[in-house]
Amino acid sequence: MVGEMIFVSGQASVDESGKIVSDSFEGEFRRSVENLRKVLAAAGSDLAHVVQTRNYVRDAEDVPLFNQLYREYFSAPFPARTTITNCLPPSLRYEIEAVAVKASQK
């Protein structure tokens, strides 16, 4: 945290011990975003206060599904978003980084 800003490094499909949990793209996406949600809650924020995301999608053919799932977790006005494809190792299908503000600031 810097002031009221919360910077969350890459959240992937990992369990509480940090072990990668391989799954379908949807399963990995949901687990990654739920991990992000936990980090934000611990910092006094939530997904509604995310102002920017960086998304890493291993396989470009998963982008349409990514777009659909993203709208389940984030709503208009959507956070500023960057999506990079074909960039993750074989062990991961998805990873997300985020910048948020404290819940009382947006």
Side-chain angles (χ1 to χ4, degrees):
M1 286 183 56
V2 177
E4 299 297 315
M5 301 295 296
I6 303 162
F7 297 85
V8 183
S9 61
Q11 298 299 303
S13 180
V14 298
D15 63 17
E16 292 78 20
S17 70
K19 181 181 176 193
I20 294 172
V21 179
S22 296
D23 202 342
S24 64
F25 179 83
E26 181 174 351
E28 289 196 23
F29 176 90
R30 290 187 188 282
R31 190 171 292 104
S32 299
V33 176
E34 289 304 324
N35 288 342
L36 171 62
R37 188 190 308 265
K38 291 175 188 175
V39 172
L40 291 171
S45 193
D46 54 38
L47 294 177
H49 289 83
V50 171
V51 296
Q52 181 183 36
T53 64
R54 286 175 211 89
N55 301 271
Y56 304 89
V57 177
R58 186 182 73 193
D59 302 317
E61 61 265 15
D62 288 324
V63 170
L65 178 57
F66 161 71
N67 287 329
Q68 175 187 335
L69 295 168
Y70 191 88
R71 284 173 174 77
E72 288 182 26
Y73 289 88
F74 300 99
S75 56
F78 294 99
R81 181 178 97 169
T82 299
T83 304
I84 303 165
T85 61
N86 304 317
C87 56
L88 293 172
S91 58
L92 289 176
R93 294 178 186 271
Y94 178 76
E95 185 174 332
I96 185 171
E97 299 177 15
V99 177
V101 295
K102 290 278 240 173
S104 61
Q105 299 301 309
K106 188 172 178 188

